[in-house]
Amino acid sequence: MSGRVFGILSPFVGGDYYGAIIEGVNTAAVAAGDRVMAIQTLNPGSHSADRSGLPDFDRPLAWRHLSGLVVLPGAVATGYAKRAQQAGLPVVFVAQDAPASSVVLADNRSGVRDAVTHLIEHGHERIAFAGYLAHFDLRERHAGYAEALTAHGLEPLVMDTGDNHESGGEAVADLLIRAGMPVSAIVLGTDRNAIGLIGRMRAAGYAVPGDLSVIGFDDIADAAYLRPALCSVRQPLDELGGAVYELMDQPVSRREVPTVFVKRESCGCSGDGLQVSEAHTRALFQQVSYLQETLNIQYELGVALLGPQDRDPRDLAWLELTPATAGCLGLWHPDLPDTLHVRGGFRFPAGGVLPVDEFPPADLFERAYGANGEIVFVVPVRTPAQDWGMLAAVGRIQSTTPPGREMMNHSGSLLAKALDYGVMQEKLRQAALRDHLTGLPNRVLLEDRMAQAERRAAREAGYRFAILLLDLDGFKAVNDTHGHAIGDQLLIQVARRLTGRLRRTDTVARLGGDEFVVLIDGVSGSGGTHEVIAAIKATVTEPFTLDGHVVEVGLSIGAAISGDGTSDPDHLLREADAAMYRAKSVARQR
């Protein structure tokens, strides 16, 4: 092994398009003794690259480990690639033009020209094109269509599908039907567009190819099994990936990989049917088994990460349910920008802090057996509510599922939601135990703290605790004079003064209104609270400045100490209440 690692930036790190290119790059890299890692730039759980827009991925992830970067369509903005080049990393773009960079393109025009010429040979003169023209390679396919029509003196009809999926083809079918079928043949930008269109046309009573001949692009596995079998244009993604790797060590250049028109039944040609053999049948059975296993994994992951938690999901024990062989989690450091706290090692020793350009740890690459299709994957762990960090795992490339349905995207999404859920649960727990205005413990949490003190007093003969009940004198006058907003600010400031005056082992709680309780942890003798009471009074009765107003209040305090006959918190609280009202009465008489 040369020790070189090449990063592949992709909206998704698997699927029958992105995964197939990643697979091709990896095959060429492994043959030359190198490795690749695939980095997902879309947020995990994104439905599709088309509908999600250009990701805002901008961190220099793993740059110190990498010897070059591959940028797949829609992965990052061109500014990211420029910064990588300035940092000394060669960059190769796939299926998109980029100035001053090496580019590998499928020769989309030639394959589509051949497809349109074939339709013209069938006698078609009204031929449409539909595709998601926001993408460079789709615009190239449209250009091949236009060139073929111009060469034969025919008029074009172009429609934008809005995406590369079945839904885009369905929308085009609806347009054609409403327009009274103005064409007899159509070329679509992707096979998934074509599959969606054929389904909608047949549901509306139209025959394919009788009423409409259809040709797609990509030659995905579904095309051959469709009825009628779908004509398509094949772009050899393995060759595309190989060409990408070759350009890494060459000056800036441009490489085009030819595409090939594949005849089947949807254009009007007679088909040969499915060529079934024992080897083919066994391969299909393996694919079905693989898909079933994938469904089982996704179900078990959902239960493990979104069900009741008996372990912290950040320890990555749930990766045991997946085909991953090793992994670690990097959580953004709260105090150090662009730095990850590495934890949760799965079959991999993880710990410490790394800058983002050194994540994942270099040793993780040694766990990936490239010849077996294993590489390091990295996916963001974030939701609209929180950017948690990055999940890195070693696993096999998935190149037969639709993009975005691979294990890494699913895992990153579930982990992010599990972490969000944990935060929400903690907030709910705190809300149930804390006063909403001051943030002090409420009656529920106070009762728990008092019960703990009672149990300690029962265990330790010399341990005593005190309960102080506090009531602000003159609080109603503050509300009446200055308004409830000032009154709320006063309560918040009183809470801050109390917590600042007392020890961390003591508890200050608010029962409601202007009534507070202080639990003193550990007092000496029956007079052990006198100094504390005096300090509290001095602190709280100092004037407050609130929104430009100087406000003063008095303070009445009643105290009760455990050990003088009882340590029952309720009894002590009643004693403190009685003592406080005696103190108020004395204050009034004065």
Side-chain angles (χ1 to χ4, degrees), residues 7 135 165 194 198 206 234 336 433 453 550 562:
H135 287 185
H165 303 280
I198 290 173
Y206 291 89
R234 179 186 302 147
L336 301 174
L433 300 175
V550 177
S562 69

Side-chain angles (χ1 to χ4, degrees), residues 16-310:
D16 51 18
Y17 178 69
Y18 302 113
I21 297 175
I22 293 169
E23 202 166 49
V25 177
N26 181 63
T27 299
V30 169
D34 291 327
R35 291 188 173 95
V36 302
M37 68 175 292
I39 303 164
Q40 177 168 319
T41 57
L42 275 178
N43 286 352
S46 297
H47 180 72
S48 75
D50 302 333
R51 297 167 190 165
S52 300
L54 193 67
D56 60 356
F57 188 92
D58 64 352
R59 300 185 191 268
L61 185 73
W63 280 12
R64 290 199 189 183
H65 299 318
L66 302 180
S67 299
L69 275 176
V70 179
V71 181
L72 300 195
V76 290
T78 54
Y80 184 95
K82 287 181 181 177
R83 285 191 287 121
Q85 289 171 322
Q86 291 167 356
L89 290 175
V91 178
V92 177
F93 284 84
V94 179
Q96 54 193 313
D97 255 337
S101 298
S102 291
V103 175
V104 175
L105 304 169
D107 182 10
N108 292 284
R109 297 182 183 223
S110 62
V112 174
R113 280 199 305 268
D114 291 344
V116 173
T117 300
H118 182 75
L119 290 172
I120 293 171
E121 290 171 353
H122 272 295
H124 294 285
E125 295 184 350
R126 295 175 296 119
I127 305 170
F129 177 89
Y132 187 33
L133 299 178
H135 287 185
F136 170 81
D137 51 352
L138 270 296
R139 294 195 295 272
E140 287 286 291
R141 294 168 198 179
H142 166 255
Y145 157 83
E147 290 167 3
L149 286 190
T150 300
H152 291 84
L154 300 177
E155 290 295 320
L157 174 61
V158 180
M159 291 171 280
D160 197 315
T161 59
D163 63 35
N164 289 322
H165 303 280
E166 287 83 353
S167 54
E170 291 167 356
V172 169
D174 292 338
L175 288 174
L176 292 176
I177 291 169
R178 286 197 298 270
M181 296 301 292
V183 296
S184 62
I186 186 169
V187 177
L188 291 114
T190 69
D191 285 347
R192 296 197 184 280
N193 281 163
I195 290 169
L197 177 136
I198 290 173
R200 184 61 61 89
M201 296 297 298
R202 294 181 67 181
Y206 291 89
V208 175
D211 296 313
L212 183 68
S213 293
V214 180
I215 295 177
F217 198 107
D218 290 327
D219 195 30
I220 64 175
D222 303 45
Y225 296 98
L226 200 66
R227 285 191 176 181
L230 179 63
C231 298
S232 188
V233 178
R234 179 186 302 147
Q235 50 177 337
L237 298 177
D238 53 345
E239 293 182 26
L240 205 69
V244 168
Y245 177 76
E246 290 173 10
L247 291 191
M248 278 295 177
D249 294 322
Q250 298 181 17
V252 172
S253 56
R254 180 187 181 96
R255 181 80 57 85
E256 290 193 355
V257 177
T259 55
V260 180
F261 173 57
V262 181
K263 285 193 302 182
R264 293 195 182 99
E265 298 166 359
S266 66
C267 67
C269 290
S270 58
D272 297 328
L274 293 175
Q275 302 301 307
V276 179
S277 65
E278 180 178 349
H280 184 67
T281 303
R282 290 185 181 278
L284 289 176
F285 179 76
Q286 288 177 351
Q287 288 185 24
V288 171
S289 298
Y290 168 76
L291 292 174
Q292 183 61 55
E293 181 185 5
T294 301
L295 286 174
N296 292 340
I297 289 170
Q298 292 183 348
Y299 170 78
E300 290 178 2
L301 279 179
V303 172
L305 286 170
L306 300 183
Q309 294 288 335
D310 57 351

Side-chain angles (χ1 to χ4, degrees), residues 513-532:
D514 60 342
E515 197 170 55
F516 296 83
V517 174
V518 176
L519 171 64
I520 306 296
D521 177 47
V523 295
S524 57
S526 59
T529 60
H530 294 327
E531 291 184 5
V532 176

Side-chain angles (χ1 to χ4, degrees), residues 277-565:
S277 65
E278 180 178 349
H280 184 67
T281 303
R282 290 185 181 278
L284 289 176
F285 179 76
Q286 288 177 351
Q287 288 185 24
V288 171
S289 298
Y290 168 76
L291 292 174
Q292 183 61 55
E293 181 185 5
T294 301
L295 286 174
N296 292 340
I297 289 170
Q298 292 183 348
Y299 170 78
E300 290 178 2
L301 279 179
V303 172
L305 286 170
L306 300 183
Q309 294 288 335
D310 57 351
R311 296 186 64 173
D312 187 341
R314 290 173 292 186
D315 67 12
L316 302 190
W318 50 269
L319 273 179
E320 187 74 50
L321 301 171
T322 75
T325 58
C328 64
L329 176 64
L331 299 172
W332 295 119
H333 197 287
D335 303 317
L336 301 174
D338 283 335
T339 302
L340 292 155
H341 174 220
V342 184
R343 58 162 294 165
F346 169 66
R347 298 178 186 167
F348 179 76
V353 174
L354 286 177
V356 67
D357 60 2
E358 293 183 19
F359 183 86
D363 291 346
L364 189 63
F365 295 99
E366 301 299 326
R367 304 298 182 96
Y369 183 47
N372 198 33
E374 288 183 347
I375 64 172
V376 173
F377 297 96
V378 180
V379 61
V381 180
R382 66 177 181 178
T383 65
Q386 178 77 41
D387 184 358
W388 292 96
M390 297 280 179
L391 172 65
V394 175
R396 298 191 66 177
I397 302 167
Q398 293 181 275
S399 59
T400 57
T401 60
R405 304 303 184 264
E406 63 278 357
M407 185 269 293
M408 284 302 296
N409 186 44
H410 193 66
S411 298
S413 175
L414 291 178
L415 175 57
K417 287 179 172 60
L419 295 176
D420 275 1
Y421 180 72
V423 170
M424 182 185 69
Q425 288 291 92
E426 179 60 23
K427 287 181 178 178
L428 290 174
R429 191 184 74 83
Q430 290 296 326
L433 300 175
R434 298 277 173 177
D435 172 55
H436 74 281
L437 178 64
T438 63
L440 294 176
N442 61 14
R443 184 181 294 273
V444 175
L445 184 51
L446 173 66
E447 289 175 352
D448 179 71
R449 300 276 175 86
M450 292 191 300
Q452 292 180 38
E454 180 187 20
R455 289 193 293 270
R456 184 176 174 186
R459 292 193 310 269
E460 303 176 20
Y463 174 78
R464 295 161 72 87
F465 63 93
I467 293 177
L468 311 181
L469 192 61
L470 286 61
D471 190 77
L472 300 181
D473 299 329
F475 177 70
K476 183 176 183 300
V478 173
N479 271 339
D480 292 344
T481 304
H482 301 292
H484 287 280
I486 295 294
D488 286 347
Q489 289 184 43
L490 174 61
L491 293 173
I492 293 169
Q493 292 301 323
V494 168
R496 287 177 180 171
R497 289 188 183 184
L498 288 172
T499 53
R501 167 60 63 181
L502 297 168
R503 301 168 301 176
R504 293 182 62 185
T505 54
D506 301 327
T507 298
V508 182
R510 180 181 176 223
L511 299 186
D514 60 342
E515 197 170 55
F516 296 83
V517 174
V518 176
L519 171 64
I520 306 296
D521 177 47
V523 295
S524 57
S526 59
T529 60
H530 294 327
E531 291 184 5
V532 176
I533 290 173
I536 289 175
K537 275 195 172 182
T539 299
V540 173
T541 55
E542 282 287 323
F544 296 86
T545 302
L546 306 171
D547 279 356
H549 303 284
V550 177
V551 175
E552 294 183 63
V553 291
L555 185 65
S556 297
I557 302 178
I561 301 176
S562 69
D564 295 337

